[in-house]
Every structure is written in C-alpha cells, then in structure tokens.
Amino acid sequence: MSLSRRDFLRYGMAAASTAVASGGIDLSPVEAAATSLRIKEAKAFPGVCPYCAVGCAQLIYVKDGKIVDIEGDPDAPHTEGALCPKGSSTYQLSLNERRITRCLYRAPGATAWEEKPLDWMMAEIAQRVKKSRDATFVETVKVGANEVPVNRCEGIAWLGSSVLDNEENYLIAKLARGLGLVNLENSARLCHSATVPALGATFGRGAMTTNLIDVQYADVIMPTSNWAECHPVSYKWVMKAKERGAKIIHVDPRFTRTSATADIWVPIRSGTNIVFFGGLIRYAIESKKYFHDYVVAYTNAPLLLDPNLKTPAELDGLFSGFDPARRSYDQSTWKFQLDADGYPRKDTTLRDPNCVFQRLRRHYSRYTPEMVERVCGIPKELFLKVADIYCSASGPDKTATASYALQLNQSTNGVQQIRALCMLQLILGNIGRPGGGVVALRGHSNVQGATDFGTLYHMLPGYPAAPIQGPHPTLTDYLEKTTPKGGYWVNNPKFVVSLLKAWWGPAATKENDYAYDYLPKREKADAYSHQHFLVGMYEKKVKGFICMGQNPAVDSPNAKMARQAMRNLEWMVVVDLFETDTAAVWKEPGVDPKSSQVEVFFIPGAPAAEKDGSITNTMRMAQWHVKAVEPPGDARSDAAFIVDVGNRVKELYKDSKPKKDRPVLDLVWDYQPQGPKKEPNMELVLKECNGYATDDIVDKDDKPLYKKGEPLKTFGHLRDDGSTACGNWIYTGIYPEEGKNLALRREKSKEGDYLGHGWGFVWPANRRIIYNRASADPSGKPWSEKKKLIWWDAEAKKWVGNDVPDFSPTMAPDAPRAKDGPFKGISGTDAFIMNPHGLGQFFASIVDGPFPEHYEPFESPTKNLLSKVQNNPVAKVYNIGDLNKLGTPDKYPYILTTYRLTEHHAAGMSRHVPWLSELFFGHFAEIGPEMAKELGFQNGDMITVETPRAKIRVRALVTERIKPFVINGKKVYQVGIPWHWGYQGVMKSARGDITNDLVASLGDPTTFIQESKALLCNVRKEA
Ligand code: SF4
C-alpha cells in the first residue's frame, strides 16, 4: 500500500501543526518548509518501529528508491504520530555505514573474515545443517516397554527473534520442527517468558488483557516498571489519565522519569514483589475493598478445595507434596472437591474454610504491612497509603490498571510475581473492564508475535504444548492429556490437526494421525531453553547454531559463559544488520581468535523498512509493514534466508530413503521465491498462518462454506478432520479473503470507536479488551454507565457494545453451562472462556505452587522472613561448577539490579546507530551519594562491580535517584546498572563491559527465565 498525494499533503500539514502545538517560538513555517523539502514528491509506505512493542506506526518516505525520512503516522490511534528517540532514528538502521551488505565467512581458527558469495554461503550452511542433523538425530527412544518415535535433533539450536516478523517466526518454527530441532527459542525467553504462564493460568491467555488507548480511563495506574522511559510513546495514555484525575503510583527500586510523573513513588527491593502484591491482596480482603459481586460471579474464589491441600502458612514455606530429592511437587492434593457431574463444588457465601477465597485469605494473612516493610523496604505508612488508594479503585464505578515488565519477569519467582499482580487485579474486579487490566509491557517490537508463533522450545504456534515423549507418544495421548474437559481449549484438536495439515499437507492423513510422529518430541520439560542450550554448547553437545536478530553474546545471563559456549561450537550462522558481538565472538577483545574453531557464517539481513511482514505489538495488535526499498548488496529479508535454507536442505535430502527424513521431505514449503534474492511471497505465509480450507467444506446445513484453498474467516470454522489447515489459530481472521490483509488496515478511529477497531488486527478476532464479558454484571447489564464496554441486548439476543465480545456472541447471560460444542463447560456468566471452568483463577496449578509465595532471590541480603525456605525450592540451578558460583552478603554486600534506557535498546541494534550512541557518554552504574561517600568515590570515577561470576568496569553515576533500603531493620545499599553495552559499537561511548556477565545461571522453574534483577555485588574504586 502506498499513500495518495492527498494523504501525503495531509501528513505534511499534520507535522506542521504539531510544531505549533508544541509551544514556544513558532517555527512552523520553517519546519513545514524543511519537511516539505525533504519529503517533496516522496512516496510514503506504512512502517512499524522495529524497536519496542509499543509498535509505533510509521510512514517511510521514499524518493528515487532511497529512504529520505521516517516519521510517526499521525492517524495511528494508539500512537498518534509520536516516536521516541529510537523510533526517530530507525532511518539509520537502513542508511548506516556500519551496515554489512556482503556475506562474511570466518573459517575455523581464522583471524579475519572473508567475503563470500551468498550462494556459496547458503550451500555451505545447508550442508552444515544436514551434517549436524544426521550426526545427532534420535529417531526413537524406549519409554517403558514401548519404542516411541521422537524424531528429535538436539545437535542444533535455532534462536529466532522478537525483532523478526510474525511470518518469519512462523517459518522458523515450521522448518525447525520439520528438521526435528528442539533447541528453539527467541528473545522472549529472556524478557517476558514468565508472562505467558502467569497470565495464562490466571485469565486463560498469556497476553496483555487490555489496550494501551484504554489506559486513559483508569482511575488509578500502578506501573511497576519504568514505563515512561522504556515504552515512552505509550506513556501518553498514562498522562492522559492523569489529566483526567487518575492517581499514578510508581513501584520501582529506582526513582526514574516514571516516578517523576507519579503522585507516589514506592521504592521496593528487587525480587520482593510477591510480598507487596500479597500485602495488597490481604489489605483488599481485610478492608473489604475487593469487588465482592465480581469475585463471586467471575472467579474461582467460591470453589471448594481439597482439605488435604496444605499451604506455606501450614508447612512453613512449602505446599503439600514437596519431594526434596527431586526438588519438585506432587500436585495430587492441589485440587477441587467435585460434585456428581465432576464440576467443583462451591460456596457463594465465600465462608467455607476450604473455599479458594478463605484459603487465599489465610495464605496472605502473613503478608502484613509490617512484613511488607521488613521484606520490601517500603515504610508501613507509605504502604498503607498506597493500599488505600489502589484498593479503592474497585467496584462498579472504578477501575485501576497495573503494568509490569522485566522487574517482575526476570526472577526465580518470575511467574509467581506476575501471578500475584494478576490476582490483585482479579480480586479488585479490574479485568475485562474499561480502565482496568494488566498491561504487560513487552520489550522488543515483536515479543508478543514471536511468542504467539512458537519460536519457543515448549510450545507450538497458537500455544498448544510441544509434545513430550513420555506422556505424549501418540496423537491420541497428546490430545487427551492437553485438552481440558471445559472452556474454549476443548477445541484444541481442531487447532492441532489444522497445524499439522499446514505443515505436512497431503502427507498428514487421518490414517497416520496427521503426521503427528513427525513432530519432534521433547525428552522432558526441563530441557532446551535458552540457558539449557547454552550449557549444551559449552559442553559441546550442541554443534551448530543459527542466530537471527538477537545478540546472545551480550543478552544471555552469565554472558561470559555464553560467549565461551559459542566459541565451542562447530559452526554458527548469524543473520543481522550489523556485526554484532555474537558475530564477532571469536575475536572478542582479550581472546585469541586461533583458540576457537567455530566456523562463522554472517548473512546480512534487512530491517522492517526493507521487507513485507507483520509485527504484533504489546496489545496483541498485528500491523503490516510494507517493503519501502530494496535491501542493499546481498542483504535480504530473514524470510528469504529461512525459505532458502529450507529449500536447500530439502534438496540435499531429496533422494534419501530413511523414514527419519520424511518430516523434512514432506514439509509443505512452497512460498514462491521471487527475483534475484529469492524473496518469498509473504502474503502466502500470512494466508497459511490464517488458515484455509484443504477441501470444499459445507456447514451443518450442508450449505457450501468454503471452496478448497479459500482462507478461513474465523477460528470457529476450524475442523479436526483434516479439511482445514491453519498455522496459528489465534490469528485466524487476519486474512479472511484472498487479497484482504487486515494487518495492513490503517483506518483512523471513528467517532464512538475509541479502541480503533479499524487499525491493524488484534488477536483474537479483533477483540481489543479481552474477557470483556466481565464488563457487564452477571445479568448482562454494564456494572455502571461510566465503565460500560459490552452488554447483552435482550431484544437482539446478542452481545453488543464498544468492542468485539470475547464471548459466544449469542449466549444469553442466563444460559446454562454448555454440555457440548465449542463452548463446552461455559455458561452465560463464565467470562474467562479459555479457562476450564470459565472463571478467573486465584487457585491455579503452577509448578512452584497454586498461590504465589515469597522466596528470596538466590543472592539476597537477608534471610527469608516469611518462612524457613530461603529460595524457590523448585527453581532451576544450572550445574556448571565454578562458572555459576553464588554470592553471599558477607562478601557481596550490595544489591544489584539491572535495567535499560530510552536511548538504547536491548543488546544490539542501537549501539550501531550514531544518533543514539552519541546520547550517552558510555557505560555506567547508578549509585547513591551515601554509598559513594562511604566507598570514597565521586561522580564519574571508574569503578569495578563484581559478582562471583565476573567483574565489569564502568563509570560511577552518583545520583539521588538510588536510595538505600532498610531491610529487616538493616540498611542495605543498591546499585543499578543498564545492560546494553558490549565490545561492538559505532563509537567509544557505545562500547563497554557486558553487564550480563555478572548474572548467574538460574531459572524460574516454569519458564527458566533468569534472575537478573536481584543480585548481590561488590563495588570498589579503580586504583
Ligand atoms: S521504541 Fe517503542 S516507543 Fe519508541 S518509537 Fe519505537 S515503538 Fe515507539
């Protein structure tokens, strides 16, 4: 899509009027002239900022085949034409002298790159993939007495990326699984992997519940991350809420620009959020400020639990079923009491001592304001003030929004920290309602999409689990064990069979269980994550590595170990725009290149402005960007690389007879590569993700529904008989007709549609606020006029309102529980349709407990004051000897927390962009004045920060923003260090020591996300 001349003029006018509105000297004529000179007669293409997941819509101006300017798109309802410094500098991702445009090859042991032709590189890469696959492939294993096909290759790891497009991640997921790869990840593992099980277990889907635009209608907003600096453009909605009178409470270890805009700043010690949220839940219950009617109708609070379930209040820190030898829980007592129909018994008075509500109350009874003060370092009076304000934003007329990012994720209690926040929102009735919700602020542009599309070891596109050899040897076993008896996931067989049809087409038949055997089977749950496969590389079990758009040399925990791990590989492919630290790992400063035999292939990639595809922002909105210019030299889209690898590997296997090669040979892989660079047709990929009929299909009345090959309009039309193929069911509807790409829609918000339904496509089914059935009371009426969103129209017999209903559109509020069909188990009041009982879940089975319980970070300045169990008893500790030593407070007395900045992003791109790199003087650590004085250093001094894993040299930035905490009566200092720097970068200020070298190899037990927000360190001044 390109814009008309009229559109172009309109945008030019908008830019000029923005200048007027900004105040001060009226420069508008000058600016307008400059703008019109620069973009005069340029063609504008729709773009999306490739940095963070706010997903600012851009216009890319092109003249004579060159990008001349990139600006924010003023029509975008969620960003309204704004861009932050990163978005404003995306121009330099395309036009940049450091951009690598030719293929580079580093032979084993060589001391320099060599330029090689693209064709030679691709042929060699395909050979390496085949060689390592053949050498490490496991076709079957014995499970008990049975020989189970597992079709698994553990010798190659593939790191996709949350800066790659949805379609590219889909292609990686498909090809990697086709090859049998199980070591499959993207950067979401390291930033937001805890989000998915936490939100999923509580609400039903692992995604942000609301929409950024809606934040303006909150009465109270509680950011628990540095929202203003890390997701700058979206912060406008917080400020709009403030203008309307909302209170802002910022909960963060550091005082930041977010704190500066807040009414209250709540300093909290890193890693103690469960105590804070638990304290708020306790306060809401004891002060009766929770939303009683919402809780009774829409949550599992009334359901009765097995009396044999014991919680940490009774077992001093543990839940019943703990096995210390295996460091895991037997969950047999974590269950409900069932009635004759197999449904949980309930007590709607909430008085039964075994109802979830009373168990929750007892569990959090220990989380008193005094305990919050002693553990979190938040003074009791401050806590009580905040509790009163926050918990008062509940009930029919009020709502509060809470947001979070990595402070909650990156912890050995990551899932439970987020769960606790979700439960707070649930008890206050803040989900599914305007001005409510949980805002999961994703970092990279496409963290949401890369997660949705399954470039993660544990799940397939659309969130079905990746099968495990023991419990899932056959399709029947798999579907039986992964399909619940109620809730919308009863449709799982339709999603899975349609996915298998999309991948293996005609070779997936009813007779062979739709080629289920072809899907690689995991050995166990505790394997293949980012941290797992780095250890595998270190131990030389993983031989080859494909790394696209990510920089694990810098962004991995225990990054020094990670870099050695990569040097231990036989071969590595890096696809990127610049020579990243990962690409240059063999010549890292201080390392003799000859000491590493890793063979490295560098393939130049293309940024979003140079390719077609969609990116899903943090609020589940897919936006399509259009290729504005040709990538230079050998550079091409990541999709072209993936499709080319697939075609070449298939060619290498073409005469192969063994059964183990059928998954590769039968993989449907025709994306019509075009032109000299073999760019695939991305709309074809999108159509496959959307789903299509594999045969003529009729409806229940025998009327024609689809002709063979037609795209599906809704996931409600998916079948489990092989007549539909669908790459990702949650995206069905994004491409409902041939040539109609709803991700490309760019319609301004219309009067009365503040959520902007005409812009992009939001999964599922363009619903902007999910669980919105809960915005109406059980009878279907809005809880209040002020907070109405959707409601039941009794005359029309359907749900109507300001959003697409996240509910069966014609299920009446008094409908009994469905006995069958797609909404099996759901009644007219079950607002959380994805959960088995249709209810928001306070009680949910997570591997480390059904209720979030506080455990100290593995490196902590204090004993756990809640129980005798110091750390999460089932957390992952990687066994790599001295490389993973942990620090104690006697030797490492300071709390260290890590974070990021507005002007830099993640570990790679921004350090190659001059406009951004010149904005910081270099790497630094923030330290409070009192601590600096005690240690005898001044602002700007060079200091060493040390953990048992590594030491780094940085400049001291002595600032009042960093305060000490009083923990259990003792003062403890903290240090804050951003983590962007590495040895590659455009200028001296862009290069520096690697913060993640300091981080240990630890993981949350559900997702194996690392603990990089709460460490212990020592600090000293350089001599
Ligand atoms: S980095 Fe984020 S906030 Fe900044 S312009 Fe890009 S998408 Fe918008």
Side-chain angles (χ1 to χ4, degrees):
M1 186 190 95
S2 60
L3 297 181
S4 65
R5 171 109 188 126
R6 179 182 294 174
D7 280 337
F8 156 70
L9 287 170
R10 180 162 53 82
Y11 294 135
M13 296 291 287
S17 61
T18 308
V20 177
S22 64
I25 305 164
D26 183 5
L27 291 173
S28 53
V30 181
E31 291 196 8
T35 304
S36 71
L37 277 180
R38 197 165 61 240
I39 61 174
K40 195 171 171 206
E41 287 169 10
K43 203 168 165 186
F45 292 81
V48 182
C49 174
Y51 281 104
C52 94
V54 174
C56 292
Q58 296 178 321
L59 290 171
I60 300 169
Y61 291 95
V62 175
K63 199 153 59 175
D64 303 327
K66 286 207 177 90
I67 296 175
V68 291
D69 196 18
I70 298 181
E71 295 177 356
D73 188 332
D75 285 348
H78 61 305
T79 53
E80 298 181 325
L83 294 175
C84 80
K86 293 191 292 293
S88 306
S89 72
T90 46
Y91 177 85
Q92 287 197 327
L93 289 177
S94 283
L95 290 119
N96 188 318
E97 282 175 8
R98 292 179 65 78
R99 180 108 182 253
I100 310 249
T101 59
R102 294 288 166 210
C103 295
L104 301 177
Y105 173 70
R106 187 259 176 173
T111 55
W113 292 110
E114 297 168 60
E115 261 188 33
K116 291 280 189 188
L118 176 62
D119 191 55
W120 181 89
M121 294 280 279
M122 295 305 298
E124 294 295 312
I125 291 167
Q127 292 278 5
R128 299 302 178 282
V129 170
K130 180 172 186 300
K131 185 173 161 225
S132 296
R133 179 180 183 271
D134 290 345
T136 62
F137 200 80
V138 184
E139 198 171 346
T140 62
V141 296
K142 263 261 183 314
V143 178
N146 301 323
E147 198 69 28
V148 172
V150 294
N151 283 318
R152 175 170 81 220
C153 162
E154 294 185 351
I156 304 173
W158 196 325
L159 198 50
S161 170
S162 39
V163 293
L164 265 51
D165 293 335
N166 288 324
E167 297 73 23
E168 292 170 337
N169 275 289
Y170 173 71
L171 291 169
I172 293 173
K174 180 175 177 181
L175 179 59
R177 301 289 184 196
L179 292 166
L181 268 54
V182 278
N183 294 305
L184 174 64
E185 288 279 67
N186 74 69
S187 29
R189 175 70 52 205
L190 302 180
C191 63
H192 258 281
S193 58
T195 284
V196 177
L199 273 78
T202 316
F203 308 129
R205 302 182 182 95
M208 172 162 156
T209 68
T210 184
N211 184 294
L212 291 168
I213 303 166
D214 184 66
V215 169
Q216 64 185 306
Y217 295 113
D219 298 287
V220 181
I221 301 172
M222 183 164 69
T224 65
S225 68
N226 184 8
W227 189 343
E229 291 182 74
C230 296
H231 299 87
V233 170
S234 64
Y235 202 67
K236 65 163 58 190
W237 302 111
V238 179
M239 297 315 290
K240 284 205 176 178
K242 188 169 179 178
E243 281 164 21
R244 292 178 53 254
K247 286 263 179 287
I248 317 295
I249 300 167
H250 182 221
V251 185
D252 198 303
R254 300 180 304 124
F255 186 93
T256 66
R257 289 184 177 97
T258 306
S259 326
T261 68
D263 297 281
I264 304 174
W265 170 52
V266 183
I268 183 169
R269 173 167 67 98
S270 283
T272 65
N273 297 278
I274 291 173
V275 182
F276 177 67
F277 298 136
L280 290 175
I281 291 170
R282 178 188 173 278
Y283 182 90
I285 293 173
E286 299 310 330
S287 64
K288 299 203 170 22
K289 285 189 187 285
Y290 63 96
F291 192 171
H292 175 271
D293 294 355
Y294 181 105
V295 165
V296 171
Y298 299 142
T299 78
N300 68 6
L303 306 194
L304 302 188
L305 288 165
D306 186 330
N308 293 315
L309 166 72
K310 301 285 179 255
T311 61
E314 298 148 288
L315 298 181
D316 200 6
L318 294 169
F319 295 89
S320 46
F322 183 63
D323 178 344
R326 299 165 68 121
R327 299 188 69 244
S328 66
Y329 281 104
D330 166 2
Q331 301 185 9
S332 54
T333 57
W334 304 7
K335 61 179 195 293
F336 296 110
Q337 302 174 32
L338 302 181
D339 64 16
D341 295 333
Y343 195 81
R345 295 175 55 220
K346 62 179 174 181
D347 169 26
T348 51
T349 70
L350 304 182
R351 289 204 194 103
D352 189 300
N354 281 313
C355 76
V356 169
F357 183 80
Q358 290 299 336
R359 298 303 302 261
L360 185 73
R361 178 184 200 163
R362 287 210 292 286
H363 178 69
Y364 287 117
S365 62
R366 302 171 297 144
Y367 290 59
T368 60
E370 293 77 16
M371 188 60 85
V372 172
E373 175 166 327
R374 290 170 69 207
V375 178
C376 308
I378 302 167
K380 179 181 164 188
E381 295 68 34
L382 177 60
F383 172 76
L384 286 171
K385 183 176 169 193
V386 165
D388 184 53
I389 295 171
Y390 197 75
C391 296
S392 297
S394 179
D397 282 321
K398 290 202 169 169
T399 47
T401 295
S403 79
Y404 73 93
L406 308 195
Q407 187 65 235
L408 268 57
N409 266 285
Q410 293 176 332
S411 161
T412 46
N413 305 303
V415 172
Q416 300 285 21
Q417 295 205 101
I418 301 165
R419 266 271 290 157
L421 173 64
C422 294
M423 286 162 58
L424 173 67
Q425 288 297 74
L426 198 58
I427 205 162
L428 297 174
N430 280 332
I431 302 299
R433 303 181 57 216
V438 174
V439 176
L441 289 165
R442 311 306 195 103
H444 284 83
S445 54
N446 202 26
V447 169
Q448 183 64 56
T451 305
D452 298 337
F453 280 89
T455 44
L456 290 166
Y457 77 93
H458 70 292
M459 43 164 272
L460 305 172
Y463 297 97
I468 300 181
Q469 64 187 33
H472 310 138
T474 67
L475 180 64
T476 308
D477 294 314
Y478 173 79
L479 292 178
E480 210 172 276
K481 291 188 174 121
T482 60
T483 307
K485 304 276 178 275
Y488 204 77
W489 273 106
V490 296
N491 299 292
N492 190 36
K494 299 173 191 168
F495 311 150
V496 172
V497 170
S498 298
L499 178 67
L500 293 171
K501 282 298 288 183
W503 286 7
W504 285 293
T509 62
K510 188 171 187 320
E511 291 65 41
N512 71 1
D513 274 347
Y514 303 101
Y516 174 76
D517 284 354
Y518 287 5
L519 262 187
K521 309 292 174 303
R522 292 185 279 160
E523 185 195 348
K524 54 189 176 180
D526 182 1
Y528 315 125
S529 82
H530 183 113
Q531 295 203 70
H532 283 88
F533 68 59
L534 281 174
V535 173
M537 291 175 191
Y538 189 82
E539 293 171 344
K540 302 191 178 177
K541 290 176 187 153
V542 176
K543 317 284 181 195
F545 181 35
I546 301 174
C547 176
M548 304 181 71
Q550 198 175 331
N551 193 8
V554 173
D555 64 26
S556 299
N558 213 338
K560 197 167 150 195
M561 182 278 288
R563 294 194 296 282
Q564 186 53 50
M566 286 183 266
R567 285 192 286 270
N568 286 356
L569 287 161
E570 288 178 6
W571 58 269
M572 174 166 78
V573 179
V574 176
V575 184
D576 221 308
L577 308 179
F578 305 105
E579 187 191 25
T580 61
D581 310 81
T582 298
V585 74
W586 50 275
K587 54 171 177 162
E588 175 184 348
V591 169
D592 177 3
K594 294 195 195 100
S595 67
S596 169
Q597 295 303 304
V598 61
E599 190 182 21
V600 186
F601 301 86
F602 184 93
I603 301 282
E610 297 172 12
K611 59 187 181 181
D612 294 332
S614 67
I615 292 175
T616 300
N617 81 348
T618 201
M619 61 194 213
R620 297 168 281 106
M621 181 164 75
Q623 298 177 94
W624 192 268
H625 53 84
V626 173
K627 181 179 187 173
V629 292
E630 278 299 326
D634 287 336
R636 56 183 182 160
S637 71
D638 298 83
F641 168 80
I642 304 156
V643 170
D644 201 355
V645 171
N647 282 330
R648 286 172 191 260
V649 173
K650 276 167 89 74
E651 181 68 20
L652 292 176
Y653 278 112
K654 89 170 181 258
D655 298 322
S656 177
K657 297 286 173 265
K659 213 167 135 196
K660 78 171 182 52
D661 299 330
R662 292 311 319 167
V664 186
L665 290 167
D666 290 340
L667 196 70
V668 176
W669 199 253
D670 183 10
Y671 298 108
Q672 301 177 358
Q674 304 279 322
K677 292 194 187 172
K678 299 184 183 162
E679 288 288 349
N681 179 339
M682 297 313 288
E683 272 205 357
L684 267 186
V685 186
L686 183 71
K687 178 181 169 183
E688 182 176 320
C689 297
N690 173 84
Y692 58 91
T694 62
D695 216 334
D696 291 352
I697 298 180
V698 292
D699 67 11
K700 60 179 172 26
D701 303 320
D702 258 2
K703 292 211 180 95
L705 196 58
Y706 294 105
K707 285 212 172 317
K708 183 176 177 178
E710 277 184 351
L712 304 177
K713 295 185 189 321
T714 156
F715 46 73
H717 290 159
L718 289 169
R719 307 272 171 99
D720 60 4
D721 60 2
S723 60
T724 55
C726 177
N728 191 341
W729 74 274
I730 60 175
Y731 281 78
T732 306
I734 194 171
Y735 192 81
E737 289 167 27
E738 287 295 354
K740 190 169 182 181
N741 176 354
L742 296 187
L744 186 52
R745 262 189 312 195
R746 292 203 165 200
E747 293 164 19
K748 277 170 98 156
S749 280
K750 296 195 179 87
E751 185 72 30
D753 179 19
Y754 78 99
L755 294 171
H757 287 81
W759 191 278
F761 174 85
V762 172
W763 73 261
N766 214 23
R767 296 164 191 165
R768 306 274 158 157
I769 295 177
I770 44 182
Y771 320 114
N772 54 26
R773 164 66 183 89
S775 68
D777 69 14
S779 76
K781 293 197 195 79
W783 286 105
S784 68
E785 188 58 26
K786 189 176 156 203
K787 295 285 174 183
K788 71 179 189 185
L789 185 60
I790 70 157
W791 54 91
W792 177 249
D793 183 333
E795 218 163 280
K797 292 193 170 35
K798 60 179 187 181
W799 290 92
V800 297
N802 304 326
D803 197 4
V804 179
D806 186 17
F807 203 62
S808 169
T810 55
M811 186 186 279
D814 58 358
R817 196 179 300 145
K819 291 202 163 49
D820 232 320
F823 285 88
K824 188 178 167 193
I826 298 297
S827 76
T829 55
D830 293 335
F832 294 87
I833 56 169
M834 303 308 292
N835 281 340
H837 305 121
L839 300 168
Q841 303 191 136
F842 293 111
F843 175 87
S845 289
I846 303 281
V847 296
D848 44 355
F851 297 131
E853 165 73 354
H854 171 71
Y855 304 106
E856 283 293 322
F858 270 68
E859 291 184 329
S860 159
T862 179
K863 290 236 164 303
N864 187 357
L865 303 176
L866 266 302
S867 76
K868 68 167 196 260
V869 183
Q870 177 70 5
N871 313 123
N872 188 332
V874 299
K876 177 76 181 173
V877 181
Y878 289 86
N879 185 9
I880 42 175
D882 278 358
L883 292 169
N884 199 22
K885 275 202 278 192
L886 297 175
T888 49
D890 52 333
K891 296 205 178 93
Y892 300 91
Y894 309 114
I895 300 168
L896 165 59
T897 194
T898 63
Y899 60 93
R900 75 175 178 87
L901 307 162
T902 305
E903 296 79 1
H904 273 301
H905 192 253
M909 298 192 305
S910 58
R911 279 188 286 117
H912 298 273
V913 172
W915 289 349
L916 292 172
S917 295
E918 66 194 14
L919 295 175
F920 270 93
F921 60 82
H923 198 356
F924 61 92
E926 284 189 82
I927 288 171
E930 214 179 322
M931 176 178 165
K933 194 170 167 206
E934 257 183 41
L935 294 182
F937 53 74
Q938 311 275 327
N939 193 32
D941 280 351
M942 211 66 196
I943 57 169
T944 299
V945 181
E946 184 174 9
T947 71
R949 280 77 57 189
K951 53 178 93 158
I952 63 168
R953 294 176 70 245
V954 288
R955 290 216 178 267
L957 177 60
V958 179
T959 167
E960 293 280 356
R961 295 191 296 257
I962 295 277
K963 309 270 186 211
F965 293 103
V966 177
I967 306 300
N968 197 21
K970 194 177 155 214
K971 188 188 280 183
V972 188
Y973 292 119
Q974 68 165 331
V975 179
I977 311 188
W979 63 276
H980 304 282
W981 278 267
Y983 40 86
Q984 297 289 96
V986 60
M987 56 187 76
K988 195 163 170 248
S989 65
R991 297 188 289 271
D993 283 359
I994 295 173
T995 304
N996 279 322
D997 286 6
L998 301 171
V999 176
S1001 296
L1002 300 165
D1004 173 277
T1006 306
T1007 69
F1008 307 111
I1009 194 168
Q1010 74 283 4
E1011 185 150 83
S1012 47
K1013 290 292 178 192
L1015 320 172
L1016 289 180
C1017 70
N1018 209 342
V1019 179
R1020 64 170 188 277
K1021 189 177 162 182
E1022 294 274 296

